[in-house]
Amino acid sequence: MKKQNKIDLLQGTLELLLLRLLQTGSLNGWDLMQRLQLVSKQVLSVTPGSLYPALHRLEARGLIASDWGSSDNNRRAKFYRLTAAGRRQLEAERKAWERFSGAIDLILRDA
Amino acid sequence: MFKGFMVRLRALLRKKQMDRELDEEMRFHLEHMVEQNIAQGMTPEHARSAALRDFGGFQQAKEGCRDARGVRLIEQTWQDLRYGGRMLLKKPGFTLIALITLGLGIGANTAIFSFVNAILLRPLPYKDAERLVVPVSVNASRNTDDSSISYADYLDWKNEGVFEHVAAISLLSTADLTSGDGEPERVRLAVVSEEYFSVMGAEALLGRTFQYDDYNSPGPPRGLIITYGLWQRRYGGDTGIIGQNIYLNGRPYPVVGVMPKDSLWPEGRDILVPLAVGAKPGPDLLRRDNLIFSGVARLKPGATQDEANAALASIAARLEQDYPESRKGWSNRVVSLHDYVVGKQLRTSLLILLVTVGCVLLIACVNVVNLLLVRTAAREREMAVRLALGAGRARLIRQLLTENLLLTSVGGGIGFLLAIWGVDLLKAVAPGDTPRLAQVHVDVSVLVFTVSISLLTALICGLIPALQSSRTNLQQALKETSRSATDGARSRIVRDVLVVSEVALSLVLLIAAGLMIRSFMRVQQIDPGFKVDRLVTMEVYSPGLRYPDEARVIAFYKSLIDSLRGAPGVESVAISSALPLGGGGFYLGRVFLIEGQPEPPASTDYEAQWNVVSPGYFTTTGMRLIEGRDFDERDRADGNKVIIINETLARRMFPGEDPLGKRIRSWRDENQLREVVGVVEDVRYFGRDDDLRGLVYVPHTQNAWRSMALTVRTHGDPANVMSMIRTQIAAVDEELAVANLETMTTILNRSVAQRRASMLLLVVFGIIAAVLAVIGIYGVLSYTVAQRAQEIGVRIALGAQSGDVLRLVIRQGMKLTLAGIGIGLGTAFAVTRLMASLLYGVSATDPVTFAGIALLLAMVALVACYIPAHRATKVDPLIALRYE
């Protein structure tokens, strides 16, 4: 795996990204990790040591739910999906993030 | 959010399954990484190790997930509890001692708190009871500060609007009730003035309360109100009682109302009568020195007791000016009803008891702390290993505190159960007239108290050992040697200080108990002044309906005495208006003047209690006539007025002279000159520990009171005679109620009941405290001997004899004991003066008690030292030397 240009993600941001990634369907942990790298064009990556605790945290908060199913190679894996509360949280946090990053932009550009 | 809760719940309950799933999830990911590596061309082993490395810590990831579930705290606490439970079960000896110690300490506190809660803390059951006060009369020179008031006082306060409502109550009356279930019964009346029901804020359960007409119509009362207790007891709770007649002293009165339970003060009254004074109260009623009423008032909303006190004091000052002969030296103040009901002595006793059991609990805590210190020293290795593995200090402390919480919770539970049993026991032995005794229960507030002190105890007991052990020096602890390094100077000092303090504390308690015992013994030695055994007493009343004039009253009592005198088992019979030792009857204090003395009396030395008696009273009770004669047939209603006085009064009124033949009169009351015909020995009048006071006796034929107490001396056991007496009295007059039929021995015991109860309690707690302290000494010494086993072995190997070893160990134990006793003596000296009001005939710093108790404790401690010392002499030097 390439290690350059990987930015360590803060915990809260990671949870936001995971919620977004799950918006389109249910995925297991491995898929999530791959998808994150893919969609961010290899800029962002995360270790299992951060990913799985984040997933379990989200589950304890009731924002995602898990089911056991079989993966593409027919092995048992734990799949996660968004709950209704999760969807609402995602919207709220997305708005908050946009406000936040917009403010950073403004300052960086014009301050 | 519910979903999240379910997840967490599952995490708690299905831990194993969750862990398996977690493991599977992680492995799935790991396998993918390995496959990816293999696909990139690595060898299988290389692929696996690279995957593990890139994974970033397999176990850490799992730990992170477990943490993320958010139930860590609960899981860990549960873990600690189970571990703690296992530890406790492994050392049953330690656990048992600790539990017993805690159980006793917490149980004693809970029991006493039940009393304090019910009597001192819980408000009285009346409406807005904090606004209720009792206005009383105060006279510094007579040493009274809670005496009754006069009717004139009540009128003044009512007219000046000092209170929102104020009422005067006369509690002196009783009457014979003949209707309803049961034999004729002497019932207690409360004659209440207008506004009484407004003061109490009480409404009738059935019928009505007194109205304007009840208080202001002339003639006998138009109706009476009965209280809940009487209604249930004699009328079976009959709801049709309103309008029916009840018969008091032979006369019918309709019942107009029934009051609900616990709605009125004073409690224990059976029937309420309206005080119908009318427009023109009689001169006797208005006399300002006739203090025969109890007052009760409700403060104005927002007013304080101080404001009421100021108002009463200024009125009293004005009265002192306007009416000097009757008001000189008198003032008034208010006491809160709660304080009045409980009384100063009971409050003091209860608070002293609370402090005492608090001390017992402290001692118990000290013992448990010492036990824990010993145990944590033994667990040092375990703590060191945990610290080395990365447990934070906070985590360790939390674990130890949780274990202690388990211990004190179980101890607290045991204590609570002990207290339930203890409270029942205490209620049975407490003096029957203790106010609010019936309301003492172990209830929810007591439970809250128990839980609170259990938590507090856990904190106190657990904190020191927990802090101690988490500060473990890792290096030393992990070495192979098991000779504990924490037996350093610091922890030994802590242990020694604790033991010394518990010895000191228990000594203070024992001394307090010892002082109480001596007081009680002194009181038991007081000669009541007459022969108490085989004496039966009771009270009767000859009602006006059947005995309309004096002659008939006199004749009635004469026939009563005659018929009883002839009865089997009876040695002698007499009547008196009041009984000694506070046994009942009507107590009346009067002030006397010697013939020829000017009015008013110069001092209060010639105050005496007035007693009306029949001839033969002194022989019946066993009182000695020192001079002169008893009353006899000469002393008729129309004859020379005579009086007999007691030694004390004779000494005061006629020092150095012969009182016989002199004449005295009671000033303003009766005010008739009477010739002294006899001097009789003193008796203890209001109780066994009463001071000696002036007493006078006049013959019943010359002062024919209707309400008299009967005294009967029996040949054999009084109990056998009591029912026969009832029958005899019924034969003379079947409508007569016999009240308070009991033996003088019962009365004698009752007069010291509160003293006895306080003493017993202090003794019990003092002994518990001392036992705990001695166990503490024993524990510390045992541990020391175990610690110094090697050293002792060396000494024996080098030639030390048993005696030397004994001396070595005992000296250490006695050093602690004597230090504790020294501090305890000093503390007791400073502190026992607080209980001086409870003592009799013994000073609060009585040296005999102090020295005796100190010696006793030292000897018991010596025995406790001997046992471990003896064990020390049995140390086998070879084993000790080899022991690493």
Side-chain angles (χ1 to χ4, degrees):
Chain A
M1 269 172 240
K2 290 213 211 144
K3 291 265 196 294
Q4 303 112 320
N5 299 330
K6 302 285 193 276
I7 302 170
D8 288 328
L9 285 168
L10 287 174
Q11 182 178 300
T13 329
L14 174 59
E15 289 180 7
L16 170 60
L17 293 176
L18 289 174
L19 286 177
R20 170 64 184 96
L21 289 172
L22 288 172
Q23 194 177 30
T24 46
S26 59
L27 295 165
N28 64 39
W30 171 258
D31 290 338
L32 272 170
M33 201 174 84
Q34 302 299 80
R35 183 75 72 89
L36 181 64
Q37 274 181 255
L38 192 64
V39 173
S40 71
K41 297 194 175 35
Q42 306 296 337
V43 173
L44 299 176
S45 84
V46 62
T47 63
S50 315
L51 172 69
Y52 284 98
L55 283 172
H56 282 249
R57 232 183 340 264
L58 284 171
E59 192 179 3
R61 285 167 63 187
L63 299 175
I64 62 180
S66 64
D67 301 294
W68 284 89
S70 45
S71 68
D72 6 315
N73 43 9
N74 267 332
R75 276 214 291 258
R76 236 169 77 90
K78 200 172 185 190
F79 286 82
Y80 293 93
R81 58 182 164 79
L82 268 190
T83 62
R87 272 178 226 286
R88 287 196 293 273
Q89 182 75 2
L90 174 57
E91 239 348 89
E93 289 209 25
R94 183 213 292 272
K95 288 206 176 67
W97 172 260
E98 280 167 8
R99 254 201 327 274
F100 173 68
S101 60
I104 304 271
D105 270 348
L106 281 175
I107 295 173
L108 287 177
R109 222 184 302 133
D110 292 334
Chain B
M1 286 303 107
F2 178 65
K3 217 123 218 241
F5 175 73
M6 288 305 291
V7 169
R8 279 197 232 121
L9 197 62
R10 196 164 158 260
L12 262 182
L13 301 176
R14 295 252 178 281
K15 193 157 179 295
K16 275 215 186 64
Q17 189 183 2
M18 294 281 277
D19 273 347
R20 256 186 291 124
E21 289 182 7
L22 182 62
D23 191 65
E24 200 173 342
E25 189 179 5
M26 298 285 111
R27 285 199 188 286
F28 175 82
H29 193 112
L30 187 67
E31 290 309 320
H32 263 283
M33 290 171 77
V34 174
E35 281 166 14
Q36 206 177 45
N37 283 350
I38 293 182
Q40 285 177 353
M42 298 188 204
T43 64
E45 308 87 38
H46 196 201
R48 182 155 279 268
S49 56
L52 275 172
R53 202 180 51 230
D54 290 335
F55 198 95
F58 194 74
Q59 292 301 336
Q60 266 93 311
K62 279 170 106 178
E63 275 303 302
C65 288
R66 287 202 198 99
D67 277 341
R69 288 197 209 131
V71 293
R72 225 35 170 124
L73 191 59
I74 305 177
E75 275 180 0
Q76 284 177 343
T77 310
W78 178 242
Q79 202 177 32
D80 292 341
L81 281 175
R82 284 178 55 192
Y83 186 68
R86 264 207 314 271
M87 286 278 106
L88 288 179
L89 286 175
K90 257 212 262 185
K91 290 256 188 243
F94 158 82
T95 309
L96 205 61
I97 294 184
L99 284 180
I100 291 178
T101 307
L102 286 171
L104 283 176
I106 295 180
N109 274 274
T110 304
I112 297 297
F113 180 77
S114 304
F115 279 79
V116 170
N117 187 40
I119 297 179
L120 294 182
L121 295 178
R122 220 187 279 146
L124 294 172
Y126 319 118
K127 181 156 174 274
D128 290 335
E130 342 71 66
R131 308 223 55 74
L132 289 176
V133 292
V134 176
V136 294
S137 303
V138 177
N139 186 326
S141 63
R142 292 213 193 173
N143 217 8
T144 52
D145 72 345
D146 60 356
S147 178
S148 342
I149 59 174
S150 70
Y151 189 74
D153 289 328
Y154 153 71
L155 283 178
D156 287 336
W157 300 330
K158 184 166 152 193
N159 295 333
E160 304 235 4
V162 178
F163 304 104
E164 187 184 357
H165 298 289
V166 61
I169 317 169
S170 169
L171 298 170
L172 304 171
S173 318
T174 56
D176 289 351
L177 180 66
T178 42
S179 54
D181 303 327
E183 293 183 333
E185 183 186 337
R186 171 81 67 90
V187 291
R188 290 189 290 178
L189 310 179
V191 184
V192 302
S193 73
E194 249 175 311
E195 296 206 336
Y196 174 67
F197 295 96
S198 310
V199 170
M200 296 310 306
E203 310 210 335
L205 183 65
L206 294 176
R208 61 175 181 82
T209 59
F210 295 139
Q211 313 289 323
Y212 179 82
D213 285 341
D214 294 297
Y215 296 113
N216 290 290
S217 311
R222 305 181 326 144
L224 302 179
I225 295 179
I226 64 177
T227 59
Y228 189 82
L230 183 70
W231 181 51
Q232 292 291 325
R233 200 168 69 236
R234 269 189 97 86
Y235 301 98
D238 172 23
T239 48
I241 188 132
I242 304 296
Q244 292 200 11
N245 279 341
I246 59 174
Y247 286 80
L248 283 181
N249 292 340
R251 290 203 166 87
Y253 302 92
V255 174
V256 296
V258 178
M259 296 307 291
K261 203 161 187 279
D262 291 339
S263 58
L264 298 174
W265 180 81
E267 302 179 355
R269 297 282 134 172
D270 303 300
I271 299 181
L272 301 170
V273 180
L275 180 61
V277 169
K280 291 216 183 291
D284 254 354
L285 191 59
L286 288 177
R287 269 172 56 179
R288 289 191 172 274
D289 59 348
N290 220 358
L291 306 179
I292 55 176
F293 282 93
S294 295
V296 67
R298 185 174 282 276
L299 291 173
K300 288 196 183 129
T304 63
Q305 280 189 31
D306 289 330
E307 289 167 17
N309 280 337
L312 291 187
S314 79
I315 295 177
R318 207 181 55 220
L319 288 174
E320 233 181 328
Q321 296 256 327
D322 296 341
Y323 305 97
E325 344 80 64
S326 49
R327 293 291 309 201
K328 185 141 182 22
W330 289 96
S331 180
N332 299 98
R333 68 186 184 109
V334 293
V335 180
S336 87
L337 182 61
H338 198 158
D339 290 342
Y340 190 80
V341 165
V342 171
K344 250 181 305 211
Q345 213 197 17
L346 183 58
R347 173 181 288 267
T348 311
S349 304
L350 279 177
L351 290 177
I352 288 182
L353 275 176
L354 200 61
V355 169
T356 305
V357 292
C359 292
V360 170
L361 185 61
L362 271 179
I363 295 179
C365 284
V366 166
N367 265 1
V368 173
V369 167
N370 264 338
L371 284 169
L372 286 173
L373 279 176
V374 167
R375 226 173 49 111
T376 52
R379 288 170 70 181
E380 218 190 17
R381 275 298 261 322
E382 172 201 336
M383 295 296 132
V385 168
R386 283 183 187 235
L387 280 172
L389 284 179
R393 241 185 109 202
R395 176 80 187 85
L396 273 188
I397 292 179
R398 190 147 51 91
Q399 183 205 342
L400 289 171
L401 278 180
T402 310
E403 288 180 20
N404 289 329
L405 202 62
L406 181 63
L407 190 63
T408 53
S409 300
V410 177
I414 295 177
F416 191 74
L417 292 174
L418 275 178
I420 293 180
W421 170 78
V423 164
D424 281 339
L425 188 67
L426 285 174
K427 277 172 83 168
V429 302
D433 58 353
T434 306
R436 309 190 79 185
L437 187 63
Q439 293 164 15
V440 175
H441 296 299
V442 176
D443 61 8
V444 177
S445 18
V446 175
L447 182 61
V448 168
F449 173 82
T450 308
V451 169
S452 312
I453 53 170
S454 298
L455 287 175
L456 193 65
T457 309
L459 227 79
I460 297 176
C461 291
L463 217 51
I464 302 178
L467 286 174
Q468 189 78 275
S469 66
S470 62
R471 213 178 287 140
T472 302
N473 186 327
L474 279 181
Q475 248 202 336
Q476 273 191 296
L478 285 173
K479 281 200 217 152
E480 277 306 314
T481 170
S482 67
R483 191 141 61 88
S484 176
T486 51
D487 187 27
R490 196 212 211 121
S491 66
R492 204 167 59 80
I493 290 178
V494 169
R495 260 202 302 277
D496 287 350
V497 164
L498 288 177
V499 169
V500 165
S501 58
E502 59 175 353
V503 171
L505 210 49
S506 68
L507 187 70
V508 173
L509 293 184
L510 279 178
I511 287 180
L515 288 173
M516 291 295 280
I517 293 179
R518 288 201 78 195
S519 294
F520 187 72
M521 278 171 28
R522 281 250 195 283
V523 168
Q524 293 292 74
Q525 285 165 355
I526 298 177
D527 178 10
F530 62 103
K531 297 200 184 46
V532 170
D533 56 308
R534 294 180 292 122
L535 219 50
V536 179
T537 65
M538 70 216 81
E539 298 171 39
V540 292
Y541 177 77
S542 61
L545 193 64
R546 296 194 296 284
Y547 307 98
D549 56 32
E550 275 198 7
R552 264 178 261 245
V553 172
I554 295 173
F556 160 71
Y557 276 109
K558 184 160 188 317
S559 70
L560 191 61
I561 293 174
D562 287 338
S563 91
L564 277 173
R565 197 176 275 148
V570 170
E571 195 178 294
S572 56
V573 184
I575 54 173
S576 64
S577 57
L579 293 168
L581 296 178
F586 191 83
Y587 294 97
L588 178 64
R590 286 179 163 162
V591 178
F592 290 84
L593 288 170
I594 305 177
E595 181 174 28
Q597 258 190 324
E599 302 183 10
S603 77
T604 55
D605 265 356
Y606 302 165
E607 242 187 71
Q609 297 289 321
W610 185 268
N611 294 277
V612 180
V613 299
S614 62
Y617 175 70
F618 303 121
T619 32
T620 304
T621 49
M623 290 163 68
R624 217 168 27 101
L625 259 177
I626 297 177
E627 273 192 78
R629 64 171 180 85
D630 192 2
F631 300 129
D632 51 35
E633 318 72 43
R634 281 178 271 175
D635 309 305
R636 287 189 312 272
D638 49 359
N640 186 23
K641 300 276 185 261
V642 292
I643 193 167
I644 293 178
I645 63 179
N646 70 344
E647 291 179 87
T648 302
L649 192 63
R651 221 182 6 251
R652 288 186 191 154
M653 283 183 117
F654 307 104
E657 307 170 353
D658 184 6
L660 293 184
K662 303 266 192 329
R663 299 209 297 173
I664 65 176
R665 60 188 167 109
S666 80
W667 179 48
R668 294 219 310 244
D669 259 357
E670 210 210 21
N671 209 356
Q672 214 167 58
L673 282 172
R674 288 177 173 273
E675 180 186 338
V676 177
V677 297
V679 179
V680 72
E681 84 174 300
D682 289 327
V683 293
R684 299 281 169 176
Y685 200 61
F686 286 118
R688 191 165 196 175
D689 52 356
D690 190 22
D691 301 326
L692 292 175
R693 49 183 74 244
L695 304 171
V696 301
Y697 303 86
V698 297
H700 187 249
T701 45
Q702 294 183 354
N703 199 201
W705 283 12
R706 292 179 177 282
S707 185
M708 299 294 284
L710 219 66
T711 310
V712 178
R713 186 172 292 281
T714 62
H715 280 307
D717 187 357
N720 301 336
V721 179
M722 273 154 94
S723 57
M724 184 277 299
I725 293 178
R726 264 196 203 275
T727 326
Q728 285 288 87
I729 294 180
V732 174
D733 180 342
E734 65 178 3
E735 287 187 39
L736 222 49
V738 174
N740 302 332
L741 180 62
E742 51 189 357
T743 64
M744 189 54 85
T745 316
T746 311
I747 295 174
L748 181 64
N749 289 338
R750 195 166 57 229
S751 81
V752 296
Q754 198 177 47
R755 197 181 281 281
R756 179 190 288 121
S758 302
M759 173 196 77
L760 284 176
L761 284 173
L762 276 181
V763 167
V764 165
F765 294 132
I767 291 182
I768 293 179
V771 165
L772 290 176
V774 167
I775 290 180
I777 297 176
Y778 170 82
V780 159
L781 272 192
S782 291
Y783 182 67
T784 309
V785 164
Q787 286 308 102
R788 296 168 73 180
Q790 221 176 2
E791 174 199 338
I792 295 174
V794 168
R795 283 180 191 248
I796 295 180
L798 288 180
Q801 302 295 323
S802 301
D804 299 323
V805 176
L806 273 177
R807 247 199 309 274
L808 180 71
V809 177
I810 291 184
R811 187 172 327 140
Q812 185 189 358
M814 289 315 283
K815 247 198 307 192
L816 295 175
T817 308
L818 292 174
I821 288 181
I823 298 178
L825 284 174
T827 315
F829 191 81
V831 154
T832 49
R833 60 201 65 216
L834 293 173
M835 58 184 289
S837 61
L838 298 177
L839 300 177
Y840 184 90
V842 159
S843 111
T845 53
D846 178 44
V848 172
T849 312
F850 274 56
I853 301 274
L855 199 61
L856 189 64
L857 190 61
M859 292 200 323
V860 176
L862 189 63
V863 171
C865 292
Y866 181 77
I867 302 175
H870 184 75
R871 235 186 297 137
T873 62
K874 296 272 181 286
V875 167
D876 186 340
L878 286 177
I879 296 182
L881 283 171
R882 211 182 304 144
Y883 193 144
E884 272 292 303

